[in-house]
Amino acid sequence: EFAMSRRYDSRTTTFSPDGRLLQVEYALKATDSAGSATGILASDGVVLAAQKQSSSKLLATPRQSEKIIRLDDHLLCVVAGLNSDANILIQSGRLMAQRHRYRFQEPMPVEMVCSWICDYKQWYTQHGGQRPFGVSMLYAGWDECHGFQLYKADPAGTYGGWRATAIGENRQGAENLLKNEYEETCNVEQALELAVKVMSKTLDTTTPTADKMEFTTVTRGEDGQVRIHQLTEAETEALLARVEIAGAAAGDA
Amino acid sequence: AEFAMSIMEYSGGAVLAMTGRNCVAIASDTRLGSQAQTQSTDFEKCFRITDKLYVGLAGLATDVLTLSAQLDFKHRMYRLRENRDMTPKTFSAMLSNALYAKRFGPYFCEPVVAGLNADGSPFVTCMDLIGAPVDTDDFCVSGTCTENMYALCESLYRPDMEPDDLFETISQCLLSAVDRDALSGWGGVVHVITAEGVTTRRLKGR
């Protein structure tokens, strides 16, 4: 399938004869082999889950999540792909969000941040000599206009709003599972439990543990303030235990 | 009737910060004017950066608002990158740098920073409009009635006051000082910062 395409690889500005931008597709392939992550929209919040990867025991424990990253107080992104590319996008996203706050004295709407970063990514698919960003991203947050939202964006800069989706390794399997089991009326707790199932599937494990996956929720407190909470190790273990019990009970029934 | 005055006195205002025992207080009046004409009586000049760090800005109102928005921007970016808040010392250095960056077209603002260090000890500092800092361990003042505020602080201040005592002292200093200044007053707001949190109280002026 790719035999002829080698001639059209070297410049992202060139379409192949069958109308494809091969560099962009290769970039997407790069993200598909990255650590998996999933996002699920609940009625009262958004749940994000990501694989915790550690290539070596000698690696120092990261102080913050390497995949689920804050862009502002009301807004997070999840990255799958080249971390160095992701850092550039994150930094410019954070800067844009603060510039918006400065100009308009209010938080930047979630979709606007997503769309701005996508425009930034798109530039690299239409100018010669530069490769696209090898990152797929999920954006999750809350704003006054549209409430809780979840977006997915690919290296080409295409984005869409999702109720539940996945990026990274085994995302097809994850997406199938979500298609079958996602319910729009779910709450954050139910979404968390579904996220455990999804991550267990993408990591291909029947015994999920807190050192392999992490969970973050976006909700609103009683005072209306957006609350971003990364589940502690203890909370994660409790969640995994709840899902195991539910699974065992269902198995027995 | 119009009369010429310094641009630093156009809006009017007074800001005052004082250290206590493991606590710090920062206060401002709430008047906003266009020279002699009062425009607002609830224009606060103290801004929260974190629960342990406040900055008070006295001077031209538009610069007070712009500079506080800029400081908020800079601190939020720092916090996102570093995953921790700025220390008062670092914040002051950043503020000083931000003011000097406009050395030949400055913000008409003389800030006062009040916060708690990581070990709980109080921190106050103030600087001129182009960022020259003054680190002291007792109190800092800024605005259109600094002579009045200095006189009152020198008389009433004692080191190591507890939060309630600190509140009383700083309030008396502020209210009495602004009473003798036509361009400041119309009430006040006081924030007392301790390890447990911030207590904000409004003062009734005349």
Side-chain angles (χ1 to χ4, degrees):
Chain A
E1 186 195 303
F2 284 127
M4 255 273 274
S5 45
R6 242 170 287 136
R7 279 207 222 154
Y8 305 93
D9 282 6
S10 49
R11 291 172 222 166
T12 56
T13 48
T14 327
F15 278 103
S16 71
D18 45 348
R20 293 150 70 182
L21 284 173
L22 290 163
Q23 275 301 317
V24 175
E25 292 187 20
Y26 297 161
L28 194 49
K29 266 220 172 342
T31 73
D32 280 346
S33 54
S36 60
T38 182
I40 301 173
L41 194 56
S43 56
D44 57 343
V46 190
V47 162
L48 300 166
Q51 182 180 353
K52 271 211 272 202
Q53 286 171 302
S54 182
S55 52
S56 163
K57 262 199 323 195
L58 295 175
L59 262 178
T61 328
R63 287 184 211 113
Q64 314 176 45
S65 168
E66 293 186 313
K67 288 183 80 68
I68 302 178
I69 291 145
R70 236 184 236 246
L71 293 181
D72 198 350
D73 288 343
H74 63 297
L75 169 59
L76 289 170
C77 69
V78 189
V79 304
L82 296 165
N83 279 325
S84 49
D85 284 9
N87 283 337
I88 302 293
L89 295 175
I90 289 162
Q91 278 177 45
S92 47
R94 283 173 169 170
L95 206 51
M96 259 341 282
Q98 290 315 313
R99 282 195 190 130
H100 182 98
R101 251 187 209 274
Y102 179 71
R103 249 180 234 136
F104 299 100
Q105 290 292 294
E106 62 179 31
M108 191 167 187
V110 183
E111 187 179 347
M112 219 189 260
V113 184
C114 173
S115 132
W116 189 89
I117 298 180
C118 283
D119 288 349
Y120 187 77
K121 286 196 232 189
Q122 189 277 346
W123 194 96
Y124 292 82
T125 68
Q126 214 174 9
H127 291 80
Q130 315 212 37
R131 66 168 177 78
F133 286 93
V135 200
S136 276
M137 292 174 82
L138 296 178
Y139 299 90
W142 183 91
D143 62 47
E144 227 173 15
C145 278
H146 300 296
F148 290 106
Q149 298 150 74
L150 174 66
Y151 297 96
K152 174 163 78 171
D154 70 11
T158 322
Y159 75 91
W162 289 80
R163 296 191 186 92
T165 189
I167 51 177
E169 229 172 5
N170 291 327
R171 69 180 168 90
Q172 296 288 44
E175 282 165 358
N176 286 335
L177 180 61
L178 286 168
K179 227 186 285 189
N180 292 330
E181 303 213 13
Y182 173 73
E183 266 162 64
E184 220 166 305
T185 51
C186 70
N187 60 27
V188 164
E189 176 54 35
Q190 291 161 327
L192 272 169
E193 292 176 13
L194 179 55
V196 172
K197 279 202 214 150
V198 172
M199 293 308 294
S200 303
K201 176 131 197 211
T202 58
L203 295 178
D204 204 14
T205 172
T206 48
T207 51
T209 50
D211 63 337
K212 291 205 202 102
M213 47 183 78
E214 54 167 316
F215 301 87
T216 298
T217 60
V218 185
T219 51
R220 275 181 90 208
E222 270 155 25
D223 55 355
Q225 290 278 63
V226 179
R227 198 178 162 241
I228 293 176
H229 175 62
Q230 181 175 352
L231 268 63
T232 61
E233 185 126 0
E235 288 170 334
T236 309
E237 308 249 327
L239 170 65
L240 295 174
R242 280 200 298 280
V243 175
E244 205 191 320
I245 294 171
D252 288 343
Chain B
E2 293 292 313
F3 53 101
M5 59 162 72
S6 149
I7 188 68
M8 294 297 292
E9 289 162 20
Y10 185 87
S11 306
V15 174
L16 163 54
M18 217 179 246
T19 61
R21 194 158 152 277
N22 294 329
C23 60
V24 71
I26 187 166
S28 79
D29 73 325
T30 49
R31 179 183 179 273
L32 169 66
S34 301
Q35 296 190 315
Q37 166 77 57
T38 300
Q39 302 288 14
S40 168
T41 55
D42 64 1
F43 186 72
E44 297 186 24
K45 301 166 189 76
C46 298
F47 300 93
R48 177 190 174 277
I49 302 293
T50 74
D51 278 346
K52 299 248 169 84
L53 182 58
Y54 274 65
V55 63
L57 300 163
L60 193 62
T62 183
D63 287 347
V64 166
L65 293 172
T66 300
L67 189 57
S68 68
Q70 289 225 338
L71 293 173
D72 190 54
F73 182 126
K74 290 181 155 118
H75 181 260
R76 278 169 180 278
M77 285 303 297
Y78 182 95
R79 199 177 55 197
L80 281 167
R81 281 198 192 112
E82 293 276 314
N83 204 31
R84 64 187 170 93
D85 288 328
M86 263 195 208
T87 60
K89 189 173 119 176
T90 306
F91 180 82
S92 301
M94 184 267 283
L95 170 52
S96 173
N97 187 256
L99 292 170
Y100 195 85
K102 301 267 192 201
R103 171 64 176 78
F104 302 107
Y107 288 117
F108 294 114
C109 237
E110 298 199 321
V112 171
V113 179
L116 285 181
N117 294 317
D119 61 0
S121 58
F123 176 96
V124 287
T125 196
C126 61
M127 48 194 87
D128 68 8
L129 77 174
I130 43 177
V134 172
D135 270 332
T136 87
D137 54 8
D138 44 19
F139 49 83
C140 287
V141 305
S142 177
T144 53
C145 56
T146 51
E147 299 89 342
N148 304 3
M149 288 192 281
Y150 276 127
L152 277 152
C153 289
E154 288 290 353
S155 321
L156 298 182
Y157 176 81
R158 285 152 293 121
D160 290 323
M161 284 183 275
E162 293 294 329
D164 287 337
D165 208 356
L166 181 61
F167 165 72
E168 285 300 329
T169 311
I170 197 177
S171 303
Q172 287 302 330
C173 286
L174 181 70
L175 287 176
S176 304
V178 303
D179 276 351
R180 282 276 186 183
D181 177 13
L183 302 171
S184 311
W186 276 109
V189 63
V190 184
H191 306 278
V192 180
I193 305 166
T194 64
E196 284 75 55
V198 182
T199 313
T200 300
R201 297 179 184 90
R202 284 203 146 232
L203 306 174
K204 226 172 129 192
R206 63 181 183 89

